[in-house]
Amino acid sequence: MPAFKELVFSGVQPTGNLHLGNYLGAIKRFVAMQAQFECLYCVVDLHAITVWQDPGELTRQIREVTAAFLAAGIDPARSVVFNQSQVPQHAELAWIFNCVARLGWLNRMTQFKEKAGKDRENASVGLYDYPVLMAADILAYRATHVPVGEDQKQHLELTRDIAQKFNNDFAGTIAEQGHGEAFFPLTEPLIGGPAARVMSLRDGTKKMSKSDPSDYSRINLTDDSDAIAQKVRKAKTDAEPLPSETAGLEKRPEADNLVGIFAALNDASREDVLREYGGAQFSAFKGALVDLAVAKLGPIGAEMKRLVADPGHIDAVLADGAARAEAIAAPNVAAVKDIVGFVRRR
Ligand code: AQP
């Protein structure tokens, strides 16, 4: 595999209720990556409409996710911040990938099974095809690294399968047209840290999620300090004090989750947290977690509210980002069309 220029791509859906899992599993890590990589961060609105979205709410939420990116510390002068529907190459490449990906591969995707539930016949075709569009999002930029939460691991594997099959199927024209041995990189998922999978505050075996009907299951990025305090204090726990070693967190999903959240918010490890709080009762630990969460999330929520009050500024950031994103994606997708054998418009 030839060396590809290192490039980070990741996205967040504008589907409401951005929560601590989205922040710790994704957005906080996006911020850190800017020091090391050239990065593109996308509000994936084409993904959002795979389930019904009220049009007015969707518009509001696209701006809100953009505000969350900026408020968390993504610098739009340095990283490319944009929304997917403004860059037509995502949908265009997705169609070509629809003809590369195999039905059997998509049939194995667990997120579709979870999201479609029992009423699968009534799910949109887009929901089924979601992982193919995700592959196009990443590979339109030939991105080499994708920071995501653990729930996206299977979709990243599919992205690699699509890249590999495209490289193999078209190996002849890829070489003839001067692209060497492979046109697409095999993108690396960057999954890790103590909060790769933040769980619901009501049930430590379920992922913290935007669509959970209970608002007490998650901390939203726009929650004020009272709401954060109430949700942490009401979070489900068991009756034992915290253990001193991480092995003691096994089979204690709620304790493990709160310790992981504390560690990620404090840029520490679970071991560090247990060194300090091992033997503590949950009442004391939860008090410290409230203080930490309010100190870290409060300024982000306040800045988000300030930013969304100026939609003109957000729209200008998105327009600038879309132009920069398209400047990378357009020649890549034009080259893909040449490789496939389409005739260019003269
Ligand atoms: N609980 C989580 N822990 C760690 N990371 C998470 N992510 C989501 N939930 C957690 C990561 O956040 C990024 C953006 O996610 P998304 O908005 O694209 O979609 P999602 O994963 O479908 O988010 P939800 O909250 O789970 O939405 P619903 O309820 O609609 O299913 C991704 O990197 C994701 O891994």
Side-chain angles (χ1 to χ4, degrees):
M1 179 64 55
F4 286 87
K5 183 181 157 209
E6 289 195 322
L7 193 73
V8 163
F9 175 93
S10 199
V12 174
Q13 295 190 74
T15 40
N17 296 328
L18 271 184
H19 54 71
L20 189 64
N22 299 132
Y23 176 63
L24 296 176
I27 300 171
K28 183 171 191 282
R29 299 172 63 230
F30 298 174
V31 177
M33 304 224 139
Q34 298 180 108
Q36 202 189 335
F37 296 101
E38 189 179 334
C39 304
L40 293 116
Y41 295 126
C42 186
V43 183
V44 287
D45 47 10
L46 299 178
H47 282 281
I49 62 163
T50 57
V51 295
W52 168 250
Q53 304 295 330
D54 173 80
E57 266 299 286
L58 179 63
T59 307
R60 194 188 66 72
Q61 286 164 4
I62 291 167
R63 294 193 178 117
E64 188 175 274
V65 173
T66 311
F69 283 174
L70 305 183
I74 292 172
D75 173 2
R78 185 174 191 163
S79 299
V80 179
V81 174
F82 68 109
N83 62 314
Q84 196 183 19
S85 63
Q86 287 192 29
V87 180
Q89 285 76 16
H90 291 247
E92 203 179 356
L93 185 59
W95 180 260
I96 295 173
F97 284 171
N98 275 335
C99 305
V100 174
R102 306 288 95 181
L103 274 180
W105 300 356
L106 288 180
N107 285 339
R108 286 197 287 275
M109 296 295 113
T110 54
Q111 184 172 294
F112 173 75
K113 290 178 193 162
E114 281 158 21
K115 291 204 168 173
K118 290 200 178 77
D119 197 11
R120 200 180 288 192
E121 295 293 306
N122 208 24
S124 74
V125 175
L127 188 66
Y128 184 73
D129 201 32
Y130 182 114
V132 176
L133 178 59
M134 184 165 156
D137 299 336
I138 296 164
L139 294 173
Y141 303 94
R142 301 205 279 177
T144 53
H145 296 84
V146 177
V148 275
E150 208 171 77
D151 58 323
Q152 293 300 324
K153 192 166 175 228
Q154 195 184 35
H155 289 166
L156 258 297
E157 281 160 12
L158 187 98
T159 296
R160 291 165 64 95
D161 289 342
I162 290 174
Q164 181 83 67
K165 184 162 171 17
F166 183 92
N167 288 340
N168 291 346
D169 287 354
F170 296 100
T173 41
I174 288 171
E176 266 165 41
Q177 293 179 16
H179 302 294
E181 278 171 44
F183 186 76
F184 289 120
L186 299 186
T187 307
E188 294 286 338
L190 299 174
I191 300 169
R197 192 171 173 82
V198 177
M199 309 309 275
S200 157
L201 299 179
R202 309 301 292 162
D203 177 351
T205 63
K206 264 175 53 188
K207 188 179 89 130
M208 185 177 284
S209 144
K210 293 171 187 151
S211 54
D212 192 312
S214 166
D215 199 48
Y216 276 90
S217 68
R218 65 183 160 259
I219 294 175
N220 302 307
L221 286 189
T222 47
D223 281 346
D224 62 21
S225 43
D226 286 346
I228 294 174
Q230 264 200 2
K231 288 176 179 180
V232 172
R233 293 218 176 87
K234 281 188 190 275
K236 187 177 167 197
T237 48
D238 53 40
E240 301 293 312
L242 281 175
S244 304
E245 309 280 337
T246 50
L249 292 171
E250 274 167 32
K251 306 217 174 85
R252 295 180 66 187
E254 283 84 15
D256 184 52
N257 190 35
L258 294 185
V259 170
I261 290 172
F262 194 106
L265 281 172
N266 216 18
D267 294 312
S269 64
R270 280 181 168 73
E271 285 80 1
D272 295 331
V273 176
L274 294 183
R275 218 168 285 126
E276 192 173 348
Y277 291 98
Q281 297 295 333
F282 273 108
S283 51
F285 180 66
K286 282 180 168 179
L289 181 54
V290 168
D291 292 345
L292 178 64
V294 168
K296 298 285 180 177
L297 302 180
I300 297 175
E303 180 64 0
M304 277 173 73
K305 283 181 193 135
R306 192 186 72 76
L307 286 164
V308 292
D310 184 359
H313 170 66
I314 301 226
D315 292 359
V317 167
L318 291 173
D320 174 64
R324 286 155 63 204
E326 191 165 356
I328 305 172
N332 284 343
V333 174
V336 168
K337 289 162 78 175
D338 290 343
I339 290 166
V340 168
F342 295 153
V343 175
R344 281 200 191 202
R345 189 170 67 193
R346 305 254 169 225

Coordinates of all heavy atoms in Angstrom, one line a residue, residues 5 43 52 164 224:
K5 N -1.1 10.9 2.1 CA -1.0 12.0 3.0 C -1.9 11.9 4.2 O -3.1 11.6 4.0 CB -1.3 13.3 2.2 CG -1.1 14.6 2.9 CD -1.5 15.8 2.1 CE -1.9 16.9 3.0 NZ -2.9 17.8 2.5
V43 N -20.7 18.2 9.5 CA -22.0 18.0 10.1 C -22.8 17.2 9.0 O -23.1 17.7 7.9 CB -22.7 19.4 10.3 CG1 -24.1 19.2 11.0 CG2 -21.8 20.3 11.1
W52 N -36.7 10.4 9.9 CA -37.5 11.6 9.7 C -36.9 12.8 10.5 O -36.7 12.6 11.7 CB -39.0 11.4 10.0 CG -39.7 12.7 10.0 CD1 -40.2 13.3 11.1 CD2 -40.0 13.6 8.9 NE1 -40.8 14.5 10.8 CE2 -40.7 14.7 9.4 CE3 -39.7 13.5 7.5 CZ2 -41.1 15.8 8.6 CZ3 -40.1 14.6 6.8 CH2 -40.8 15.7 7.3
Q164 N -10.7 -1.4 -0.4 CA -9.9 -2.5 -0.8 C -10.5 -3.1 -2.1 O -9.8 -3.4 -3.1 CB -9.9 -3.6 0.3 CG -9.1 -4.8 -0.1 CD -7.6 -4.6 0.2 OE1 -7.2 -4.4 1.4 NE2 -6.8 -4.6 -0.8
D224 N -27.7 23.2 31.7 CA -27.0 24.2 32.6 C -26.5 23.4 33.9 O -26.7 22.2 34.0 CB -28.0 25.3 33.0 CG -29.2 24.8 33.7 OD1 -29.2 23.7 34.3 OD2 -30.3 25.5 33.7

